[in-house]
Amino acid sequence: MSAPKTAITPTRAEDFPEWYQQVIKAADLAENSETRGCMVIKPWGYGIWELIQQQLDRRFKETGHQNAYFPLLIPLSYLEKEAEHAEGFATECAVVTHHRLEAVKDEETGKTKMIPTGELAEPYVIRPTSETIIGAAFSRWVQSYRDLPLLINQWANVMRWEMRPRLFLRTAEFLWQEGHTAHETAEEAIAETRLMHQVYAEFLRDHLAIPVIPGEKTENERFPGADMTLTVEAMVQDRKAIQAGTSHFLGQNFSKAQDISFTGRDGKVEHAFTTSWGVSTRMIGTLIMAHSDDDGLVLPPRVATQQVVIIPVTPKEDSKQAVIDSCHALAETLRGHRFHGDPLRVLVDDRDLQGGVKKWEWVKKGTPIRIEIGPRDVESRKVCLNRRDRAANEKAFIDKEEFIRDAADLLQEIHDALLEKAVAFRDANITECGELAAFDAHWAQDNPGWLLTPWAGTPEEEDELSKKHKITIRCLPLDGQDGAEAPCLLTGKPTQQRAIWGRSY
């Protein structure tokens, strides 16, 4: 018996990396640019990012943060002030060394070439992250403890040369937000770091239907220059990990390098404690790999560019206009309803294309609800309902008034179903392991999932195991560090600490 036909080839089981690229292509999300390692985010994909941005920004402002913008070009001397931080990004930096171009005509070919000239006295680095230049601004803005806390967020693009680019997951230029805050005490800064870590975990769960493991990075995996890095780790369908967001407690490392100092309550000059935290367009890649299927993209409703698409079915010319009018009237009514506080996003696809072409386009684009209305449906006041979290050909005929009443509830059902499925998959693919032989055997498999182990090894021992199996400690899960003691997987030392190991993107 032949396998059922799918809209995407190859399937996830046949070639997961290629399936991922084909989903992006079929959903018209993005494409590779002529600029090496960079991407063009197309309207359907950028619409997802806009919704992520809007909804996250709302949460940031609810927690007291304000948006600002800082220069794209960072003086090299700023990076030199924070050596450990700069070293962590050194091989990825794009450097601007000249300030103009000079047109030079080739006498043999007659063509004009543009030659960089006017070497800069000091090179600039295109921002790989903004701790240093934002720190310089903070040093001007903070004079007294009364100026604290300073809670700033920036929506921007960043540049890090990428040797093996992959759309949304790893590109040389990508979009993100980076939060930067300064505080009077270490306790306040740590509380901020944990708060934003929680915001990310809740956002991924409640808006993207992605369950994550919140945890702390080990010293080896910590952000360069940080005292503590907290992470939210997501498992995608090939059982690999994606670091979906991070929040860093920077101690006084950057404030001392950038002289973010203030007069304290006792009249003495002190250095502030700072944090930084960020997520990027990598979230879209995580979403694709977590939810999509062999028919294309599957979008969680809260970040779906269109939540409901209505397709008029018009087999006869004499009833065509009545069907189209009915579809637009339904769309207008639905837009008056709200889902999590926002009006429903509804599109009527009345393009002059065959119904089957339209259907599969919206299946591949991941629209949560697809409605079809034909002449008989207009007369009977029914609609044909298709849910993207179910089989592409599964449909139900329901009363139009019932659909209008329940549309928001249906969207929530779809979100809940996606989340439940993702939780079940993740939990089924995390295995507890306490013996080194079993640990070694596990990583000899293809796509083996994660391991949860007792761990009390040194950074050097962690690095050795990581290189041996091409894995990393994804995190020390926050809810797994105070259980019963058990022998460390490697050293045998009694430890309460648990580590999650996995392969990652």
Side-chain angles (χ1 to χ4, degrees), residues 307-313 327 330 334 346-349 362 367-374 377 382-387 396 398 400 403-404 407 410:
Q307 293 163 325
V308 181
V309 167
I310 304 171
I311 300 176
V313 180
C327 290
L330 174 59
L334 288 171
V346 187
L347 174 74
V348 177
D349 186 354
W362 296 114
T367 303
I369 292 176
R370 193 176 75 257
I371 294 292
E372 295 176 5
I373 297 177
D377 304 314
K382 290 186 178 293
V383 298
C384 177
L385 167 69
N386 303 264
R387 288 173 47 159
I398 63 173
K400 182 164 72 171
F403 172 65
I404 292 168
L410 282 169

PDB file of all heavy atoms in Angstrom, residues 307-313 327 330 334 346-349 362 367-374 377 382-387 396 398 400 403-404 407 410:
ATOM      1  N   GLN A 307      -6.349  34.536  10.860  1.00  0.00           N
ATOM      2  CA  GLN A 307      -6.828  33.437  11.707  1.00  0.00           C
ATOM      3  C   GLN A 307      -7.931  32.629  11.032  1.00  0.00           C
ATOM      4  O   GLN A 307      -8.075  31.433  11.274  1.00  0.00           O
ATOM      5  CB  GLN A 307      -7.326  33.999  13.040  1.00  0.00           C
ATOM      6  CG  GLN A 307      -6.200  34.595  13.875  1.00  0.00           C
ATOM      7  CD  GLN A 307      -6.715  35.507  14.970  1.00  0.00           C
ATOM      8  OE1 GLN A 307      -7.708  36.211  14.802  1.00  0.00           O
ATOM      9  NE2 GLN A 307      -6.033  35.513  16.112  1.00  0.00           N
ATOM     10  N   VAL A 308      -8.726  33.299  10.207  1.00  0.00           N
ATOM     11  CA  VAL A 308      -9.815  32.643   9.469  1.00  0.00           C
ATOM     12  C   VAL A 308      -9.730  33.084   8.016  1.00  0.00           C
ATOM     13  O   VAL A 308      -9.666  34.285   7.731  1.00  0.00           O
ATOM     14  CB  VAL A 308     -11.199  33.037  10.041  1.00  0.00           C
ATOM     15  CG1 VAL A 308     -12.311  32.330   9.264  1.00  0.00           C
ATOM     16  CG2 VAL A 308     -11.285  32.723  11.532  1.00  0.00           C
ATOM     17  N   VAL A 309      -9.712  32.122   7.103  1.00  0.00           N
ATOM     18  CA  VAL A 309      -9.790  32.419   5.679  1.00  0.00           C
ATOM     19  C   VAL A 309     -11.099  31.830   5.165  1.00  0.00           C
ATOM     20  O   VAL A 309     -11.406  30.658   5.402  1.00  0.00           O
ATOM     21  CB  VAL A 309      -8.588  31.847   4.902  1.00  0.00           C
ATOM     22  CG1 VAL A 309      -8.846  31.894   3.404  1.00  0.00           C
ATOM     23  CG2 VAL A 309      -7.326  32.632   5.233  1.00  0.00           C
ATOM     24  N   ILE A 310     -11.864  32.644   4.469  1.00  0.00           N
ATOM     25  CA  ILE A 310     -13.158  32.225   3.921  1.00  0.00           C
ATOM     26  C   ILE A 310     -13.027  32.107   2.405  1.00  0.00           C
ATOM     27  O   ILE A 310     -12.625  33.062   1.731  1.00  0.00           O
ATOM     28  CB  ILE A 310     -14.266  33.230   4.287  1.00  0.00           C
ATOM     29  CG1 ILE A 310     -14.332  33.412   5.814  1.00  0.00           C
ATOM     30  CG2 ILE A 310     -15.612  32.782   3.733  1.00  0.00           C
ATOM     31  CD1 ILE A 310     -15.251  34.550   6.251  1.00  0.00           C
ATOM     32  N   ILE A 311     -13.366  30.936   1.885  1.00  0.00           N
ATOM     33  CA  ILE A 311     -13.235  30.675   0.447  1.00  0.00           C
ATOM     34  C   ILE A 311     -14.625  30.549  -0.166  1.00  0.00           C
ATOM     35  O   ILE A 311     -15.379  29.623   0.179  1.00  0.00           O
ATOM     36  CB  ILE A 311     -12.427  29.393   0.181  1.00  0.00           C
ATOM     37  CG1 ILE A 311     -11.017  29.525   0.774  1.00  0.00           C
ATOM     38  CG2 ILE A 311     -12.357  29.099  -1.314  1.00  0.00           C
ATOM     39  CD1 ILE A 311     -10.178  28.259   0.644  1.00  0.00           C
ATOM     40  N   PRO A 312     -15.011  31.444  -1.066  1.00  0.00           N
ATOM     41  CA  PRO A 312     -16.286  31.286  -1.775  1.00  0.00           C
ATOM     42  C   PRO A 312     -16.189  30.138  -2.787  1.00  0.00           C
ATOM     43  O   PRO A 312     -15.212  30.058  -3.546  1.00  0.00           O
ATOM     44  CB  PRO A 312     -16.474  32.624  -2.485  1.00  0.00           C
ATOM     45  CG  PRO A 312     -15.421  33.546  -1.928  1.00  0.00           C
ATOM     46  CD  PRO A 312     -14.313  32.674  -1.446  1.00  0.00           C
ATOM     47  N   VAL A 313     -17.166  29.261  -2.789  1.00  0.00           N
ATOM     48  CA  VAL A 313     -17.249  28.178  -3.771  1.00  0.00           C
ATOM     49  C   VAL A 313     -18.341  28.575  -4.757  1.00  0.00           C
ATOM     50  O   VAL A 313     -19.526  28.621  -4.399  1.00  0.00           O
ATOM     51  CB  VAL A 313     -17.580  26.829  -3.093  1.00  0.00           C
ATOM     52  CG1 VAL A 313     -17.667  25.725  -4.144  1.00  0.00           C
ATOM     53  CG2 VAL A 313     -16.524  26.487  -2.042  1.00  0.00           C
ATOM     54  N   CYS A 327     -19.910  35.703   1.972  1.00  0.00           N
ATOM     55  CA  CYS A 327     -18.578  35.518   2.573  1.00  0.00           C
ATOM     56  C   CYS A 327     -18.069  36.817   3.198  1.00  0.00           C
ATOM     57  O   CYS A 327     -17.552  36.815   4.321  1.00  0.00           O
ATOM     58  CB  CYS A 327     -17.587  35.029   1.518  1.00  0.00           C
ATOM     59  SG  CYS A 327     -17.878  33.338   0.958  1.00  0.00           S
ATOM     60  N   LEU A 330     -20.008  37.610   6.385  1.00  0.00           N
ATOM     61  CA  LEU A 330     -19.529  36.782   7.499  1.00  0.00           C
ATOM     62  C   LEU A 330     -18.208  37.326   8.033  1.00  0.00           C
ATOM     63  O   LEU A 330     -18.010  37.419   9.259  1.00  0.00           O
ATOM     64  CB  LEU A 330     -19.358  35.335   7.043  1.00  0.00           C
ATOM     65  CG  LEU A 330     -18.725  34.369   8.063  1.00  0.00           C
ATOM     66  CD1 LEU A 330     -19.554  34.309   9.348  1.00  0.00           C
ATOM     67  CD2 LEU A 330     -18.561  32.980   7.450  1.00  0.00           C
ATOM     68  N   LEU A 334     -17.383  38.580  11.827  1.00  0.00           N
ATOM     69  CA  LEU A 334     -16.324  37.950  12.625  1.00  0.00           C
ATOM     70  C   LEU A 334     -15.318  38.973  13.128  1.00  0.00           C
ATOM     71  O   LEU A 334     -14.799  38.858  14.245  1.00  0.00           O
ATOM     72  CB  LEU A 334     -15.601  36.879  11.802  1.00  0.00           C
ATOM     73  CG  LEU A 334     -16.387  35.599  11.517  1.00  0.00           C
ATOM     74  CD1 LEU A 334     -15.635  34.738  10.509  1.00  0.00           C
ATOM     75  CD2 LEU A 334     -16.620  34.807  12.802  1.00  0.00           C
ATOM     76  N   VAL A 346      -9.498  38.158   9.639  1.00  0.00           N
ATOM     77  CA  VAL A 346     -10.285  37.357   8.703  1.00  0.00           C
ATOM     78  C   VAL A 346     -10.034  37.844   7.282  1.00  0.00           C
ATOM     79  O   VAL A 346     -10.018  39.047   7.021  1.00  0.00           O
ATOM     80  CB  VAL A 346     -11.793  37.453   9.023  1.00  0.00           C
ATOM     81  CG1 VAL A 346     -12.591  36.487   8.144  1.00  0.00           C
ATOM     82  CG2 VAL A 346     -12.061  37.178  10.501  1.00  0.00           C
ATOM     83  N   LEU A 347      -9.852  36.900   6.364  1.00  0.00           N
ATOM     84  CA  LEU A 347      -9.626  37.220   4.956  1.00  0.00           C
ATOM     85  C   LEU A 347     -10.610  36.445   4.094  1.00  0.00           C
ATOM     86  O   LEU A 347     -10.812  35.247   4.303  1.00  0.00           O
ATOM     87  CB  LEU A 347      -8.193  36.850   4.558  1.00  0.00           C
ATOM     88  CG  LEU A 347      -7.847  36.989   3.078  1.00  0.00           C
ATOM     89  CD1 LEU A 347      -7.697  38.470   2.717  1.00  0.00           C
ATOM     90  CD2 LEU A 347      -6.562  36.247   2.736  1.00  0.00           C
ATOM     91  N   VAL A 348     -11.222  37.115   3.122  1.00  0.00           N
ATOM     92  CA  VAL A 348     -12.025  36.439   2.107  1.00  0.00           C
ATOM     93  C   VAL A 348     -11.166  36.273   0.868  1.00  0.00           C
ATOM     94  O   VAL A 348     -10.685  37.262   0.299  1.00  0.00           O
ATOM     95  CB  VAL A 348     -13.301  37.246   1.770  1.00  0.00           C
ATOM     96  CG1 VAL A 348     -14.081  36.557   0.648  1.00  0.00           C
ATOM     97  CG2 VAL A 348     -14.172  37.410   3.001  1.00  0.00           C
ATOM     98  N   ASP A 349     -10.949  35.034   0.459  1.00  0.00           N
ATOM     99  CA  ASP A 349     -10.126  34.763  -0.723  1.00  0.00           C
ATOM    100  C   ASP A 349     -11.043  34.633  -1.936  1.00  0.00           C
ATOM    101  O   ASP A 349     -11.512  33.547  -2.283  1.00  0.00           O
ATOM    102  CB  ASP A 349      -9.318  33.476  -0.525  1.00  0.00           C
ATOM    103  CG  ASP A 349      -8.342  33.229  -1.672  1.00  0.00           C
ATOM    104  OD1 ASP A 349      -8.385  33.998  -2.663  1.00  0.00           O
ATOM    105  OD2 ASP A 349      -7.544  32.280  -1.592  1.00  0.00           O
ATOM    106  N   TRP A 362      -3.828  27.683   1.465  1.00  0.00           N
ATOM    107  CA  TRP A 362      -4.049  28.062   2.864  1.00  0.00           C
ATOM    108  C   TRP A 362      -3.688  26.935   3.825  1.00  0.00           C
ATOM    109  O   TRP A 362      -3.287  27.204   4.965  1.00  0.00           O
ATOM    110  CB  TRP A 362      -5.486  28.530   3.064  1.00  0.00           C
ATOM    111  CG  TRP A 362      -5.749  29.783   2.281  1.00  0.00           C
ATOM    112  CD1 TRP A 362      -6.594  29.937   1.226  1.00  0.00           C
ATOM    113  CD2 TRP A 362      -5.104  31.050   2.457  1.00  0.00           C
ATOM    114  NE1 TRP A 362      -6.527  31.215   0.740  1.00  0.00           N
ATOM    115  CE2 TRP A 362      -5.618  31.932   1.477  1.00  0.00           C
ATOM    116  CE3 TRP A 362      -4.151  31.536   3.349  1.00  0.00           C
ATOM    117  CZ2 TRP A 362      -5.216  33.249   1.365  1.00  0.00           C
ATOM    118  CZ3 TRP A 362      -3.744  32.847   3.242  1.00  0.00           C
ATOM    119  CH2 TRP A 362      -4.268  33.694   2.260  1.00  0.00           C
ATOM    120  N   THR A 367      -3.077  28.536   7.982  1.00  0.00           N
ATOM    121  CA  THR A 367      -4.194  29.272   8.565  1.00  0.00           C
ATOM    122  C   THR A 367      -4.998  28.365   9.509  1.00  0.00           C
ATOM    123  O   THR A 367      -5.418  27.278   9.107  1.00  0.00           O
ATOM    124  CB  THR A 367      -5.122  29.793   7.442  1.00  0.00           C
ATOM    125  OG1 THR A 367      -4.352  30.590   6.555  1.00  0.00           O
ATOM    126  CG2 THR A 367      -6.240  30.624   8.021  1.00  0.00           C
ATOM    127  N   PRO A 368      -5.249  28.806  10.740  1.00  0.00           N
ATOM    128  CA  PRO A 368      -5.895  27.925  11.725  1.00  0.00           C
ATOM    129  C   PRO A 368      -7.281  27.431  11.314  1.00  0.00           C
ATOM    130  O   PRO A 368      -7.612  26.262  11.500  1.00  0.00           O
ATOM    131  CB  PRO A 368      -5.972  28.803  12.980  1.00  0.00           C
ATOM    132  CG  PRO A 368      -4.848  29.773  12.830  1.00  0.00           C
ATOM    133  CD  PRO A 368      -4.758  30.057  11.364  1.00  0.00           C
ATOM    134  N   ILE A 369      -8.115  28.331  10.758  1.00  0.00           N
ATOM    135  CA  ILE A 369      -9.473  27.942  10.363  1.00  0.00           C
ATOM    136  C   ILE A 369      -9.709  28.329   8.907  1.00  0.00           C
ATOM    137  O   ILE A 369      -9.436  29.459   8.494  1.00  0.00           O
ATOM    138  CB  ILE A 369     -10.533  28.626  11.261  1.00  0.00           C
ATOM    139  CG1 ILE A 369     -10.462  28.072  12.688  1.00  0.00           C
ATOM    140  CG2 ILE A 369     -11.942  28.415  10.693  1.00  0.00           C
ATOM    141  CD1 ILE A 369     -11.413  28.766  13.664  1.00  0.00           C
ATOM    142  N   ARG A 370     -10.216  27.385   8.147  1.00  0.00           N
ATOM    143  CA  ARG A 370     -10.585  27.629   6.749  1.00  0.00           C
ATOM    144  C   ARG A 370     -12.079  27.346   6.607  1.00  0.00           C
ATOM    145  O   ARG A 370     -12.568  26.283   7.011  1.00  0.00           O
ATOM    146  CB  ARG A 370      -9.780  26.713   5.822  1.00  0.00           C
ATOM    147  CG  ARG A 370      -9.863  27.089   4.361  1.00  0.00           C
ATOM    148  CD  ARG A 370      -8.966  26.213   3.509  1.00  0.00           C
ATOM    149  NE  ARG A 370      -9.490  24.861   3.312  1.00  0.00           N
ATOM    150  CZ  ARG A 370      -9.066  23.787   3.938  1.00  0.00           C
ATOM    151  NH1 ARG A 370      -8.087  23.881   4.828  1.00  0.00           N
ATOM    152  NH2 ARG A 370      -9.601  22.607   3.698  1.00  0.00           N
ATOM    153  N   ILE A 371     -12.803  28.320   6.065  1.00  0.00           N
ATOM    154  CA  ILE A 371     -14.244  28.194   5.873  1.00  0.00           C
ATOM    155  C   ILE A 371     -14.540  28.209   4.379  1.00  0.00           C
ATOM    156  O   ILE A 371     -14.004  29.046   3.645  1.00  0.00           O
ATOM    157  CB  ILE A 371     -14.993  29.364   6.564  1.00  0.00           C
ATOM    158  CG1 ILE A 371     -14.840  29.288   8.079  1.00  0.00           C
ATOM    159  CG2 ILE A 371     -16.465  29.382   6.151  1.00  0.00           C
ATOM    160  CD1 ILE A 371     -15.543  28.131   8.733  1.00  0.00           C
ATOM    161  N   GLU A 372     -15.400  27.289   3.933  1.00  0.00           N
ATOM    162  CA  GLU A 372     -15.861  27.283   2.543  1.00  0.00           C
ATOM    163  C   GLU A 372     -17.375  27.485   2.533  1.00  0.00           C
ATOM    164  O   GLU A 372     -18.093  26.876   3.335  1.00  0.00           O
ATOM    165  CB  GLU A 372     -15.485  25.964   1.857  1.00  0.00           C
ATOM    166  CG  GLU A 372     -13.972  25.778   1.726  1.00  0.00           C
ATOM    167  CD  GLU A 372     -13.596  24.421   1.122  1.00  0.00           C
ATOM    168  OE1 GLU A 372     -14.517  23.677   0.724  1.00  0.00           O
ATOM    169  OE2 GLU A 372     -12.388  24.117   1.052  1.00  0.00           O
ATOM    170  N   ILE A 373     -17.822  28.347   1.639  1.00  0.00           N
ATOM    171  CA  ILE A 373     -19.248  28.632   1.512  1.00  0.00           C
ATOM    172  C   ILE A 373     -19.645  28.545   0.040  1.00  0.00           C
ATOM    173  O   ILE A 373     -19.055  29.225  -0.811  1.00  0.00           O
ATOM    174  CB  ILE A 373     -19.607  30.029   2.070  1.00  0.00           C
ATOM    175  CG1 ILE A 373     -19.308  30.112   3.568  1.00  0.00           C
ATOM    176  CG2 ILE A 373     -21.079  30.363   1.798  1.00  0.00           C
ATOM    177  CD1 ILE A 373     -19.569  31.478   4.180  1.00  0.00           C
ATOM    178  N   GLY A 374     -20.627  27.687  -0.252  1.00  0.00           N
ATOM    179  CA  GLY A 374     -21.168  27.549  -1.599  1.00  0.00           C
ATOM    180  C   GLY A 374     -22.620  27.977  -1.643  1.00  0.00           C
ATOM    181  O   GLY A 374     -23.194  28.390  -0.629  1.00  0.00           O
ATOM    182  N   ASP A 377     -24.877  26.387   0.903  1.00  0.00           N
ATOM    183  CA  ASP A 377     -24.586  26.866   2.262  1.00  0.00           C
ATOM    184  C   ASP A 377     -25.242  28.218   2.519  1.00  0.00           C
ATOM    185  O   ASP A 377     -25.690  28.493   3.636  1.00  0.00           O
ATOM    186  CB  ASP A 377     -23.071  26.963   2.482  1.00  0.00           C
ATOM    187  CG  ASP A 377     -22.365  25.650   2.227  1.00  0.00           C
ATOM    188  OD1 ASP A 377     -22.857  24.613   2.714  1.00  0.00           O
ATOM    189  OD2 ASP A 377     -21.337  25.656   1.527  1.00  0.00           O
ATOM    190  N   LYS A 382     -25.359  27.540   6.496  1.00  0.00           N
ATOM    191  CA  LYS A 382     -24.317  26.704   7.089  1.00  0.00           C
ATOM    192  C   LYS A 382     -22.958  27.089   6.503  1.00  0.00           C
ATOM    193  O   LYS A 382     -22.878  27.788   5.490  1.00  0.00           O
ATOM    194  CB  LYS A 382     -24.584  25.212   6.831  1.00  0.00           C
ATOM    195  CG  LYS A 382     -25.776  24.659   7.602  1.00  0.00           C
ATOM    196  CD  LYS A 382     -25.894  23.173   7.420  1.00  0.00           C
ATOM    197  CE  LYS A 382     -27.050  22.594   8.225  1.00  0.00           C
ATOM    198  NZ  LYS A 382     -26.813  22.687   9.672  1.00  0.00           N
ATOM    199  N   VAL A 383     -21.902  26.627   7.142  1.00  0.00           N
ATOM    200  CA  VAL A 383     -20.539  26.812   6.623  1.00  0.00           C
ATOM    201  C   VAL A 383     -19.803  25.483   6.717  1.00  0.00           C
ATOM    202  O   VAL A 383     -20.117  24.638   7.566  1.00  0.00           O
ATOM    203  CB  VAL A 383     -19.752  27.895   7.391  1.00  0.00           C
ATOM    204  CG1 VAL A 383     -20.406  29.254   7.257  1.00  0.00           C
ATOM    205  CG2 VAL A 383     -19.568  27.507   8.852  1.00  0.00           C
ATOM    206  N   CYS A 384     -18.847  25.301   5.828  1.00  0.00           N
ATOM    207  CA  CYS A 384     -17.976  24.124   5.864  1.00  0.00           C
ATOM    208  C   CYS A 384     -16.695  24.520   6.602  1.00  0.00           C
ATOM    209  O   CYS A 384     -15.955  25.393   6.140  1.00  0.00           O
ATOM    210  CB  CYS A 384     -17.672  23.648   4.454  1.00  0.00           C
ATOM    211  SG  CYS A 384     -16.534  22.234   4.402  1.00  0.00           S
ATOM    212  N   LEU A 385     -16.451  23.881   7.748  1.00  0.00           N
ATOM    213  CA  LEU A 385     -15.348  24.250   8.637  1.00  0.00           C
ATOM    214  C   LEU A 385     -14.194  23.259   8.506  1.00  0.00           C
ATOM    215  O   LEU A 385     -14.391  22.043   8.576  1.00  0.00           O
ATOM    216  CB  LEU A 385     -15.840  24.264  10.087  1.00  0.00           C
ATOM    217  CG  LEU A 385     -14.784  24.321  11.203  1.00  0.00           C
ATOM    218  CD1 LEU A 385     -14.083  25.676  11.214  1.00  0.00           C
ATOM    219  CD2 LEU A 385     -15.420  24.038  12.563  1.00  0.00           C
ATOM    220  N   ASN A 386     -12.976  23.801   8.335  1.00  0.00           N
ATOM    221  CA  ASN A 386     -11.751  22.990   8.317  1.00  0.00           C
ATOM    222  C   ASN A 386     -10.769  23.571   9.329  1.00  0.00           C
ATOM    223  O   ASN A 386     -10.507  24.771   9.316  1.00  0.00           O
ATOM    224  CB  ASN A 386     -11.096  23.017   6.928  1.00  0.00           C
ATOM    225  CG  ASN A 386     -12.023  22.546   5.837  1.00  0.00           C
ATOM    226  OD1 ASN A 386     -11.996  21.401   5.445  1.00  0.00           O
ATOM    227  ND2 ASN A 386     -12.856  23.452   5.323  1.00  0.00           N
ATOM    228  N   ARG A 387     -10.217  22.718  10.193  1.00  0.00           N
ATOM    229  CA  ARG A 387      -9.238  23.146  11.202  1.00  0.00           C
ATOM    230  C   ARG A 387      -7.859  22.662  10.797  1.00  0.00           C
ATOM    231  O   ARG A 387      -7.665  21.500  10.459  1.00  0.00           O
ATOM    232  CB  ARG A 387      -9.602  22.555  12.573  1.00  0.00           C
ATOM    233  CG  ARG A 387     -10.807  23.170  13.207  1.00  0.00           C
ATOM    234  CD  ARG A 387     -11.242  22.457  14.469  1.00  0.00           C
ATOM    235  NE  ARG A 387     -10.157  22.159  15.401  1.00  0.00           N
ATOM    236  CZ  ARG A 387     -10.350  21.923  16.697  1.00  0.00           C
ATOM    237  NH1 ARG A 387     -11.573  21.980  17.207  1.00  0.00           N
ATOM    238  NH2 ARG A 387      -9.324  21.639  17.484  1.00  0.00           N
ATOM    239  N   ALA A 396     -16.338  19.776   8.688  1.00  0.00           N
ATOM    240  CA  ALA A 396     -17.613  19.683   9.394  1.00  0.00           C
ATOM    241  C   ALA A 396     -18.519  20.792   8.906  1.00  0.00           C
ATOM    242  O   ALA A 396     -18.077  21.923   8.687  1.00  0.00           O
ATOM    243  CB  ALA A 396     -17.386  19.793  10.897  1.00  0.00           C
ATOM    244  N   ILE A 398     -21.475  23.204   9.879  1.00  0.00           N
ATOM    245  CA  ILE A 398     -22.139  23.718  11.080  1.00  0.00           C
ATOM    246  C   ILE A 398     -22.930  24.969  10.738  1.00  0.00           C
ATOM    247  O   ILE A 398     -22.686  25.636   9.717  1.00  0.00           O
ATOM    248  CB  ILE A 398     -21.128  24.027  12.209  1.00  0.00           C
ATOM    249  CG1 ILE A 398     -20.162  25.141  11.792  1.00  0.00           C
ATOM    250  CG2 ILE A 398     -20.354  22.781  12.617  1.00  0.00           C
ATOM    251  CD1 ILE A 398     -19.255  25.609  12.931  1.00  0.00           C
ATOM    252  N   LYS A 400     -24.083  28.673  10.545  1.00  0.00           N
ATOM    253  CA  LYS A 400     -23.258  29.883  10.484  1.00  0.00           C
ATOM    254  C   LYS A 400     -23.300  30.641  11.806  1.00  0.00           C
ATOM    255  O   LYS A 400     -22.266  31.111  12.288  1.00  0.00           O
ATOM    256  CB  LYS A 400     -23.734  30.776   9.338  1.00  0.00           C
ATOM    257  CG  LYS A 400     -22.889  32.034   9.179  1.00  0.00           C
ATOM    258  CD  LYS A 400     -23.116  32.713   7.839  1.00  0.00           C
ATOM    259  CE  LYS A 400     -24.452  33.382   7.774  1.00  0.00           C
ATOM    260  NZ  LYS A 400     -24.583  34.235   6.550  1.00  0.00           N
ATOM    261  N   PHE A 403     -21.056  29.020  14.294  1.00  0.00           N
ATOM    262  CA  PHE A 403     -19.640  29.305  14.039  1.00  0.00           C
ATOM    263  C   PHE A 403     -19.273  30.707  14.506  1.00  0.00           C
ATOM    264  O   PHE A 403     -18.234  30.916  15.145  1.00  0.00           O
ATOM    265  CB  PHE A 403     -19.307  29.137  12.557  1.00  0.00           C
ATOM    266  CG  PHE A 403     -17.911  29.592  12.214  1.00  0.00           C
ATOM    267  CD1 PHE A 403     -16.801  28.936  12.727  1.00  0.00           C
ATOM    268  CD2 PHE A 403     -17.709  30.719  11.425  1.00  0.00           C
ATOM    269  CE1 PHE A 403     -15.505  29.373  12.447  1.00  0.00           C
ATOM    270  CE2 PHE A 403     -16.430  31.160  11.136  1.00  0.00           C
ATOM    271  CZ  PHE A 403     -15.329  30.492  11.649  1.00  0.00           C
ATOM    272  N   ILE A 404     -20.130  31.676  14.199  1.00  0.00           N
ATOM    273  CA  ILE A 404     -19.863  33.053  14.624  1.00  0.00           C
ATOM    274  C   ILE A 404     -19.731  33.110  16.147  1.00  0.00           C
ATOM    275  O   ILE A 404     -18.814  33.736  16.684  1.00  0.00           O
ATOM    276  CB  ILE A 404     -20.976  34.001  14.133  1.00  0.00           C
ATOM    277  CG1 ILE A 404     -20.918  34.128  12.608  1.00  0.00           C
ATOM    278  CG2 ILE A 404     -20.844  35.378  14.792  1.00  0.00           C
ATOM    279  CD1 ILE A 404     -22.136  34.813  12.002  1.00  0.00           C
ATOM    280  N   ALA A 407     -16.345  31.006  17.224  1.00  0.00           N
ATOM    281  CA  ALA A 407     -15.076  31.141  16.479  1.00  0.00           C
ATOM    282  C   ALA A 407     -13.887  31.331  17.411  1.00  0.00           C
ATOM    283  O   ALA A 407     -12.842  30.674  17.259  1.00  0.00           O
ATOM    284  CB  ALA A 407     -15.172  32.292  15.481  1.00  0.00           C
ATOM    285  N   LEU A 410     -13.077  28.150  19.181  1.00  0.00           N
ATOM    286  CA  LEU A 410     -12.419  27.198  18.287  1.00  0.00           C
ATOM    287  C   LEU A 410     -10.922  27.512  18.155  1.00  0.00           C
ATOM    288  O   LEU A 410     -10.079  26.604  18.142  1.00  0.00           O
ATOM    289  CB  LEU A 410     -13.079  27.225  16.905  1.00  0.00           C
ATOM    290  CG  LEU A 410     -14.406  26.486  16.765  1.00  0.00           C
ATOM    291  CD1 LEU A 410     -15.053  26.827  15.424  1.00  0.00           C
ATOM    292  CD2 LEU A 410     -14.194  24.975  16.877  1.00  0.00           C
TER     293      LEU A 410
END
